[in-house]
Amino acid sequence: MREVSVGSSWCAHGPRDIDPAAKRLHIAFSILASCSARILDCHGLDSMNVTEAVLKRQAIRAFRPDPVSGDVVRSLLETARHAPSGGNLQPWRIYVLSGAPLNAFVAEIADKLSRNERETPEYDIYPRNLWEPLRSRRSKAGEQRYHALGIGREANGQAILEEHNFRFFGAPAGLFFCLDRRVGPPQWSDVGMYMQTLMLLATERGLATCPQEVWAYWPKTIRRFLELPDDLMLFAGMSLGYADETSPMNGYRTSREDLDTFATMIGFDGL
């Protein structure tokens, strides 16, 4: 647990230099600060900075059933609203399911899958005829998932992974991110920035997430279940909960390209 310092005069001058009333007030503040630090520790907030949250965050594909309180979810959503958006349009609309509604929704999707029902997405999740090096990056990430499942794509691994996806990987909360269908790519990127902000905040709180554009494959069912107005369309979903650290699905990390492969720095001394 981190050390907390409240003022320096008490430590520097000792009790004889401080009025008794001030001394009692100082002690009270010290106790309060100590208790606050313990509370922060319990929530994993005592030492995590933004860099640590970025490095710790990963797409979690197996969750514990422990519930996440509505107050915590509301706090995350409320803080994430400070994410940037062009022109301050704030184009995001978020729906969150938990408890009985989430169970009912997941059961409905499972029933449709069992009857081999499918729907058509309202946008292409990936470009058609994906090219290199994007194709290889996606393929390698897929191989890691199948390996963690202990089964190959050719041995029905894709169907099994799909089933896991469409039950939010067992997470106790499922989110849907929507936006007005009249907006363009810049506003889609705004929603992405909101999602990233939310995921980092969740990481700070000891929670785990998995962003899931795959939910775009169920636009009609989601629209009906959530009673979305006609002007909204679904962008993506997200699993939210506590990671199952024992699952092989969470035991690997996808690689990232070296800086020089994607960044060009111009005008810096020594570079």
Side-chain angles (χ1 to χ4, degrees):
M1 182 176 68
R2 64 182 177 188
E3 295 292 329
V4 178
S5 175
V6 183
S8 59
S9 59
W10 173 254
C11 297
H13 304 293
R16 288 174 296 182
D17 299 325
I18 297 182
D19 179 79
K23 176 181 175 182
R24 289 193 296 269
L25 183 61
H26 178 89
I27 292 173
F29 274 118
S30 297
I31 294 172
L32 178 61
S34 178
C35 291
S36 298
R38 286 186 169 87
I39 291 172
L40 290 172
D41 280 344
C42 291
H43 288 284
L45 295 172
D46 60 322
S47 60
M48 184 172 292
N49 56 38
V50 176
T51 298
E52 290 167 332
V54 169
L55 296 176
K56 181 176 176 59
R57 187 216 63 80
Q58 70 179 105
I60 292 298
R61 292 182 171 84
F63 289 82
R64 305 200 311 262
D66 312 48
V68 180
S69 74
D71 287 342
V72 169
V73 175
R74 184 177 181 86
S75 174
L76 292 173
L77 295 173
E78 200 161 35
T79 306
R81 68 194 171 96
H82 294 282
S85 62
N88 198 33
L89 297 188
Q90 305 171 66
W92 42 78
R93 286 289 300 277
I94 299 111
Y95 294 78
V96 189
L97 295 178
S98 187
L102 176 62
N103 294 336
F105 174 77
V106 168
E108 181 175 343
I109 295 295
D111 179 62
K112 290 178 180 291
L113 287 173
S114 69
R115 291 186 276 110
N116 202 32
E117 290 188 24
R118 294 294 188 275
E119 296 174 8
T120 302
E122 295 191 88
Y123 70 94
D124 292 329
I125 297 178
Y126 297 104
R128 299 180 184 182
N129 302 316
L130 201 60
W131 55 91
E132 295 297 344
L134 308 186
R135 180 182 178 88
S136 294
R137 292 171 187 167
R138 185 187 178 198
S139 177
K140 183 177 180 181
E143 289 174 3
Q144 288 180 280
R145 295 188 194 108
Y146 294 126
H147 180 74
L149 275 174
I151 190 170
R153 181 192 295 266
E154 67 282 356
N156 209 34
Q158 187 170 1
I160 294 174
L161 187 59
E162 183 181 66
E163 178 185 340
H164 284 276
N165 254 302
F166 291 135
R167 58 182 181 85
F168 289 102
F169 301 106
L175 295 83
F176 294 106
F177 299 85
C178 306
L179 71 175
D180 193 306
R181 61 179 63 254
R182 294 170 294 181
V183 301
Q187 288 72 53
W188 287 58
S189 71
D190 291 340
V191 177
M193 288 190 284
Y194 181 97
M195 293 176 65
Q196 171 72 343
T197 302
L198 178 64
M199 289 188 288
L200 295 180
L201 289 167
T203 301
E204 180 192 49
R205 295 290 292 264
L207 291 161
T209 57
C210 183
Q212 297 172 270
E213 287 180 315
V214 71
W215 281 112
Y217 282 102
W218 295 100
K220 294 180 180 178
T221 299
I222 292 172
R223 172 173 302 282
R224 181 186 53 76
F225 194 92
L226 298 179
E227 300 181 353
L228 296 181
D230 292 339
D231 60 342
L232 286 187
M233 68 175 290
L234 175 70
F235 169 52
M238 183 184 292
S239 302
L240 173 68
Y242 297 95
D244 179 358
E245 304 290 355
T246 67
S247 172
M249 293 299 292
N250 299 329
Y252 70 91
R253 299 296 296 262
T254 52
S255 63
R256 296 295 187 269
E257 297 295 319
D258 292 336
L259 175 65
D260 291 340
T261 66
F262 63 84
T264 301
M265 302 182 67
I266 301 171
F268 293 89
D269 293 339
L271 295 178

